Amino acid sequence: MARPLMLTIMRLLTPTLEFDMLVFIETLINGLLLGALYALFGMGLSLSLGVMRMINIAHGDFIVLGAYLSSVIVMSTDLGPLASLLLLLPLMFVIGWLLQVVLFNRVVGRDPLSPLLLTFGLSIVIQNLLQEGFSADTRSLPAGDLALQGVELGGMSIGVLPLISAAISIAVFWFINRLIHRSPVGAAVRAVADDQETARLVGVNDKRLFAYMTGLILVTVGIASVLYGMRTPFSPASGPERLIFSFEAVVLGGLGNLWGTFIGGLIIGVSQLFGARIDTGLGPFFGHLVFLLALIARPQGLFKGGKS
Amino acid sequence: MKSENLSVTAAAANTTGVAVNKTYWIKSIILLGLLGVLIALPWFTGYSTQRLMVELFTFYAIALAWNLLAGYGGIVSVGQHVFVGIGAYAMFSVSTTFSLNPWLALPASIIVSILFALIFAVPMFRLRGAYFAVGTWVLAEMARIAVLNSDWLGAGGGIPLTTMTGISRWLRNAGVYWAALAVGAGSLAVIWWLMRGRLGLALLSVRDSEAAASASGVNVLRTKVILWVIAAAITGTAGAVAYMNTLQVSPGATFSLNWTAAAIFIAVLGGIGTLEGPLIGVIVYFLLRECFSSYGSWYFIILGCIAILTMVLAPGGAWSLITRRKQIDPFGIRRILS
Amino acid sequence: MLEVNSLSAYYGLFQALFDVDLRVEEGECISLIGANGAGKTTLMRALVGALKVDSASVLFEGQPVGGQSERQQLARGVTLVPEGRRLFPSLTVRENIELAQHHGRPGKWDAELLFQELPALAEVQNRMSTELSGGQQQLVAISRALVTNPRLLLCDEISLGLSPYAVDEVYRLLNRARKDGMSVVLVEQNVQRALAEADRFYCIQKGRVVLDGPAADADHHAVANAYFGV
């Protein structure tokens, strides 16, 4: 751990590395755009923690699963990756609903560790099923022209694909936030998150609500997975790292605070890209470092946890 | 009410004192005999058996340490592989840098693991429950990337254990085996001893109710940090010994989540929160591995499904299925709650 | 209407209720009296379905309903106002009430009628429930139960920690609802009040019914004995 730190300090002190405002702003913007995608990764985790008090260790593997399913749809139909969402999202919803009904509902509320260990097993199963079905090779979703197009902005070039994915991420956050805070179903969700026992007393069917929740969570995961697959090559082993980025976004933002998760994602994205500027291999390392430092400074997260 | 119960038990203990003494001696003789056989193993088995036993003992120790945290402290860590890596790298670099006999470098594993655990207890214990679990995983990821980018630790290629050259093949294999045996038996002894003492009682109260425990004077945080450090020392040493077997450390393998996954599988399958559980778990784990590992991914899929089914159907693990029928307590640490 | 026959309830290995017998008639109000930890709340939780008990030990209109879920009991018309109010802090007053109304039985009581009856609540209907005073919160808690249109309302400690004026207001609302023939089971620390409001009473001590009878001719000395277990 000492060396990367030394390296950072050295790079910062080296006069040859001139401070370039343009590079700085470009890195910042790209970091924010990447972070918006991480925020979308984190959203599902934030929802399952906030509402069901359940951490899903297989969350990252679901992101990768979604990307593979999308690639299967793209290959077997004429649809592009974005159009594949039409088929992918209902499929993801059903997968989530089934998992909650068949597995997760048996362990949620028992103790906090049972869901963790169960989904840990599930994570291993998904990773190896993907490896069995699609081999260990990396693949990516064909983004076509989108991957190459960029917007020129005062000498900087910003990719169109990252812009689109950030816009989609914001739209999803806006929609889910509205659903939870402005709808009758959302009231039931908040009630269960507040006090599951009393929610049952007023007639809320918590287990059924959880099944729909997990379905919805996997829909957000499905959207994230297509945007991710168009941008980055993935392999069956990519899941755990997705989980960690999602987790960092959630904890940084403050638990049970959806927009907090969004900001948390942005911070991780920006840290990673500035880290990668210092040393290409150290991008994620700096994301983790910022996470740890933030944890020491503000253990309760950057924002007060309004319940979501 | 309480004192009545106590005096009754005391009286019962008096009358059965002779019998207790006798079973104590029988137990001790069996245990010593077993230990003797295990120590003598290198003289009548081949290298492959010894290597397998090294794996078995080191996996057992790592699972015991994980179980100490989860089962007794209620702290789940998904990043225990960080200590496997830290311990192994500490021993390898101390041994190769100072041309020191690898066995003599083992204390470095313990010391570095403990220091690492103490330093990172500060941020980690700001997290609770599931957040702590994933937080430790982040820590392990950071350590892996840091090692991967450190040239003095061999970067991506890792470090070969060059100091092993010149030691005869038999002695090398037997020596690693004995070290593994010492780690396995030693960690069992340490945990057993801890559980019988004050720490065991404190842990029991923390596990039942943190609030009640801290109200009655147990320093919950300190108790948990002690556990975390002990588990780190055990895991680090076991990691170092495990890599004496392979003679090479590398960031990808040594800081691999697979170590933690195996530990969790062994402890969950055998029974979280028992000393007997990991013993059963490690035997089942290696039986499954020897029988099915040639099936590749399907082997892991089966392991994952077994873990899932255990959590759903028998959260207490295999040992709970045994004790459900028959009350046995070979380690004598179960406390009667009245 | 409700009949409890030798009901036993457990928390794990700990037995909280021993062979409790109890009966509530249509339109009747009964009081459960007993010290803290006597098992009153456990009994309420068992009746409402929050605690698994033997099926035949709770009869509702002759049907065995013990151990059925809260939702099933709610559909039959058995609703609990839990101890400590337990409003949802993330929900507004109106949302608290409408959530229950949505999952409850159709009937006379709804959010609009309640806001008519309680103009003070109507004024704060869009505030978060945590911003209200204790008395107002208790009114919301009772409203939340009333909009499920219960036939049997279980009230656990609805006057605890409230000012005398607020207590009167809470009971005024309750009595207003009772006019339509709703049955009530009250758990009330104030024994005077408990006997004044109820038709009959049951004294519970260490999980057993030790005394019961009509509230009007309750012998205060006997009740005190049953309460303190001397």
Side-chain angles (χ1 to χ4, degrees):
Chain A
M1 199 144 307
R3 198 188 120 82
L5 280 178
M6 294 251 294
L7 213 88
T8 317
I9 294 164
M10 273 167 54
R11 289 289 166 93
L12 290 176
L13 295 178
T14 318
T16 50
L17 191 88
E18 277 170 38
F19 183 76
D20 186 333
M21 197 61 191
L22 214 56
V23 171
F24 178 83
I25 294 175
E26 196 179 46
T27 310
L28 181 67
I29 292 177
N30 284 328
L32 290 173
L33 296 180
L34 178 65
L37 181 60
Y38 288 167
L40 197 53
F41 288 170
M43 169 178 256
L45 206 60
S46 184
L47 286 174
S48 65
L49 275 166
V51 178
M52 295 178 266
R53 307 264 177 274
M54 162 178 163
I55 192 157
N56 180 1
I57 296 286
H59 183 73
D61 303 298
F62 282 117
I63 296 173
V64 178
L65 173 72
Y68 273 102
L69 290 177
S70 167
S71 100
V72 169
I73 295 171
V74 169
M75 281 192 293
S76 50
T77 63
D78 287 339
L79 300 172
L82 286 176
S84 77
L85 287 171
L86 286 176
L87 290 174
L88 179 67
L89 297 188
L91 184 63
M92 292 298 272
F93 183 88
V94 172
I95 293 174
W97 189 87
L98 277 176
L99 274 173
Q100 188 72 38
V101 169
V102 175
L103 282 183
F104 301 163
N105 270 346
R106 294 171 193 272
V107 291
V108 288
R110 197 161 70 190
D111 60 271
L113 303 179
S114 295
L116 186 132
L117 296 175
L118 186 143
T119 52
F120 192 81
L122 187 64
S123 157
I124 291 169
V125 171
I126 295 175
Q127 279 176 41
N128 286 283
L129 279 176
L130 289 175
Q131 182 151 346
E132 195 60 36
F134 301 104
S135 87
D137 303 337
T138 56
R139 62 168 76 185
S140 54
L141 295 176
D145 294 340
L146 271 182
L148 306 170
Q149 284 169 12
V151 183
E152 289 297 320
L153 204 95
M156 296 176 294
S157 173
I158 307 295
V160 169
L161 184 61
L163 276 173
I164 292 177
S165 75
I168 293 178
S169 170
I170 293 171
V172 173
F173 264 86
W174 179 83
F175 175 77
I176 298 285
N177 205 52
R178 216 174 152 74
L179 183 74
I180 286 178
H181 289 283
R182 294 272 184 281
S183 77
V185 180
V189 170
R190 276 177 285 145
V192 172
D194 280 348
D195 184 345
Q196 192 176 349
E197 206 175 294
T198 308
R200 290 174 59 87
L201 278 182
V202 301
V204 175
N205 187 343
D206 50 352
K207 293 284 163 79
R208 200 180 64 181
L209 193 67
F210 286 174
Y212 288 129
M213 263 323 272
T214 306
L216 182 69
I217 286 168
L218 279 209
V219 167
T220 70
V221 164
I223 299 169
S225 64
V226 168
L227 298 175
Y228 158 64
M230 288 168 75
R231 176 175 182 140
T232 320
F234 50 91
S235 77
S238 310
E241 201 173 37
R242 304 301 114 196
L243 168 74
I244 289 181
F245 296 163
S246 318
F247 173 77
E248 288 172 340
V250 173
V251 175
L252 266 183
L255 312 173
N257 181 337
L258 265 191
W259 284 112
T261 299
F262 187 80
I263 306 288
L266 296 187
I267 293 172
I268 296 299
V270 170
S271 320
Q272 286 191 3
L273 288 201
F274 275 102
R277 281 249 165 250
I278 292 163
D279 189 314
T280 24
L282 288 182
F285 180 88
F286 275 85
H288 301 328
L289 190 66
V290 166
F291 167 75
L292 274 197
L293 293 177
L295 205 60
I296 293 170
R298 277 186 75 87
Q300 72 279 31
L302 297 175
F303 308 97
K304 274 268 174 201
K307 289 274 171 68
S308 68
Chain B
M1 195 80 181
K2 275 268 159 64
S3 60
E4 254 172 49
N5 274 350
L6 281 179
S7 59
V8 169
T9 355
N14 270 340
T15 53
T16 56
V18 185
V20 168
N21 233 358
K22 205 169 176 184
T23 55
Y24 174 78
W25 281 109
I26 293 173
K27 262 191 193 174
S28 306
I29 288 167
I30 292 176
L31 211 62
L32 283 175
L34 189 66
L35 203 60
V37 170
L38 285 175
I39 290 172
L41 203 76
W43 280 284
F44 53 86
T45 56
Y47 295 140
S48 64
T49 312
Q50 288 169 35
R51 284 168 168 277
L52 182 68
M53 293 302 278
V54 170
E55 283 192 88
L56 195 128
F57 285 133
T58 48
F59 273 74
Y60 176 61
I62 295 169
L64 259 187
W66 187 87
N67 180 49
L68 173 72
L69 285 174
Y72 293 104
I75 321 163
V76 171
S77 161
V78 192
Q80 285 305 95
H81 49 294
V82 74
F83 296 111
V84 173
I86 293 288
Y89 265 89
M91 189 275 273
F92 272 57
S93 55
V94 166
S95 174
T96 50
T97 312
F98 303 105
S99 305
L100 198 65
N101 178 313
W103 283 270
L104 295 180
L106 275 177
S109 303
I110 304 180
I111 293 165
V112 175
S113 301
I114 288 177
L115 285 178
F116 188 87
L118 278 175
I119 292 169
F120 284 96
V122 177
M124 286 301 120
F125 278 90
R126 301 216 155 184
L127 297 167
R128 317 190 108 244
Y131 302 104
F132 179 91
V134 187
T136 57
W137 194 353
V138 173
L139 187 62
E141 264 302 289
M142 278 185 80
R144 184 185 66 81
I145 302 174
V147 170
L148 186 67
N149 286 283
S150 299
D151 293 327
W152 60 283
L153 288 175
I159 312 172
L161 194 57
T162 45
T163 43
M164 272 291 191
T165 47
I167 299 169
S168 84
R169 192 167 174 217
W170 189 89
L171 193 61
R172 197 179 73 214
N173 276 286
V176 174
Y177 167 78
W178 286 323
L181 176 60
V183 167
S187 37
L188 178 63
V190 165
I191 294 172
W192 176 78
W193 177 74
L194 281 173
M195 285 306 126
R196 287 181 68 103
R198 280 173 58 96
L199 189 72
L201 253 181
L203 284 176
L204 203 71
S205 65
V206 170
R207 187 168 60 169
D208 288 345
S209 162
E210 278 197 18
S214 65
S216 51
V218 176
N219 187 334
V220 176
L221 182 63
R222 201 185 64 184
T223 311
K224 288 188 169 183
V225 173
I226 290 174
L227 277 193
W228 162 252
V229 171
I230 293 169
I234 292 174
T235 311
T237 320
V241 173
Y243 278 93
M244 286 169 103
N245 219 2
T246 61
L247 301 175
Q248 171 88 28
V249 282
S250 63
T254 315
F255 286 92
S256 162
L257 178 66
N258 289 344
W259 286 103
T260 305
I264 292 180
F265 181 82
I266 290 168
V268 167
L269 186 72
I272 297 177
T274 65
L275 277 187
E276 299 85 356
L279 201 58
I280 299 175
V282 79
I283 290 167
V284 174
Y285 178 82
F286 276 90
L287 280 177
L288 285 172
R289 203 181 77 169
E290 294 307 298
C291 297
F292 299 111
S293 63
S294 55
Y295 293 89
S297 308
W298 285 109
Y299 160 67
F300 289 102
I301 294 167
I302 293 168
L303 279 192
C305 288
I306 292 175
I308 292 171
L309 286 177
T310 310
M311 282 326 292
V312 171
L313 301 175
W319 184 250
S320 76
L321 296 180
I322 297 169
T323 47
R324 193 185 289 171
R325 294 172 194 285
K326 199 167 181 290
Q327 278 289 343
I328 42 175
D329 182 14
F331 290 107
I333 58 161
R334 216 163 303 291
R335 292 174 205 270
I336 303 342
L337 298 165
S338 60
Chain C
M1 178 186 205
L2 181 86
E3 218 181 302
V4 174
N5 293 317
S6 58
L7 169 76
S8 295
Y10 302 82
Y11 291 108
L13 290 174
F14 173 73
Q15 186 166 3
L17 293 177
F18 300 84
D19 289 327
V20 169
D21 290 315
L22 184 140
R23 168 174 61 78
V24 186
E25 301 297 343
E26 196 89 43
E28 197 182 24
C29 177
I30 70 158
S31 273
L32 302 181
I33 298 168
N36 281 332
K40 296 164 295 179
T41 297
T42 308
L43 177 56
M44 302 278 241
R45 281 167 50 82
L47 296 183
V48 85
L51 197 66
K52 289 283 162 275
V53 292
D54 199 33
S55 157
S57 58
V58 184
L59 300 178
F60 189 79
E61 307 204 304
Q63 296 290 317
V65 298
Q68 297 205 356
S69 75
E70 294 96 325
R71 264 181 315 119
Q72 286 167 309
Q73 291 297 78
L74 202 69
R76 278 196 189 90
V78 183
T79 305
L80 171 71
V81 183
E83 184 181 355
R85 309 188 274 272
R86 305 280 284 265
L87 299 181
F88 303 111
S90 307
L91 272 62
T92 63
V93 169
R94 178 175 272 277
E95 280 176 329
N96 262 287
I97 294 173
E98 281 183 341
L99 180 70
Q101 183 182 331
H102 178 74
H103 290 96
R105 286 153 43 98
K108 172 185 160 192
W109 288 100
D110 60 15
E112 307 313 323
L113 177 62
L114 271 159
F115 287 137
Q116 265 177 42
E117 291 281 328
L118 304 164
L121 277 197
E123 273 174 38
V124 293
Q125 57 176 291
N126 291 321
R127 297 252 195 97
M128 295 319 247
S129 48
T130 42
E131 297 169 31
L132 272 53
S133 70
Q136 281 179 324
Q137 285 190 21
Q138 189 64 65
L139 288 176
V140 177
I142 293 175
S143 304
R144 192 175 63 178
L146 284 181
V147 292
T148 68
N149 289 292
R151 300 182 53 202
L152 171 64
L153 184 66
L154 312 173
C155 300
D156 200 350
E157 306 277 19
I158 51 172
S159 66
L160 203 66
L162 301 188
S163 69
Y165 173 75
V167 174
D168 286 341
E169 207 171 12
V170 162
Y171 274 102
R172 204 174 304 132
L173 176 62
L174 196 61
N175 287 323
R176 165 77 185 76
R178 279 190 63 201
K179 281 189 190 138
D180 307 319
M182 184 179 74
S183 311
V184 173
V185 177
L186 275 182
V187 167
E188 172 61 67
Q189 281 294 332
N190 180 341
V191 178
Q192 302 285 340
R193 182 118 215 175
L195 292 174
E197 299 288 341
D199 302 313
R200 287 187 301 115
F201 73 95
Y202 290 83
C203 278
I204 299 184
Q205 188 194 327
K206 289 183 183 157
R208 291 183 169 84
V209 172
V210 289
L211 185 73
D212 67 282
D217 43 67
D219 174 358
H220 282 238
H221 186 65
V223 169
N225 277 353
Y227 189 101
F228 294 110
V230 281

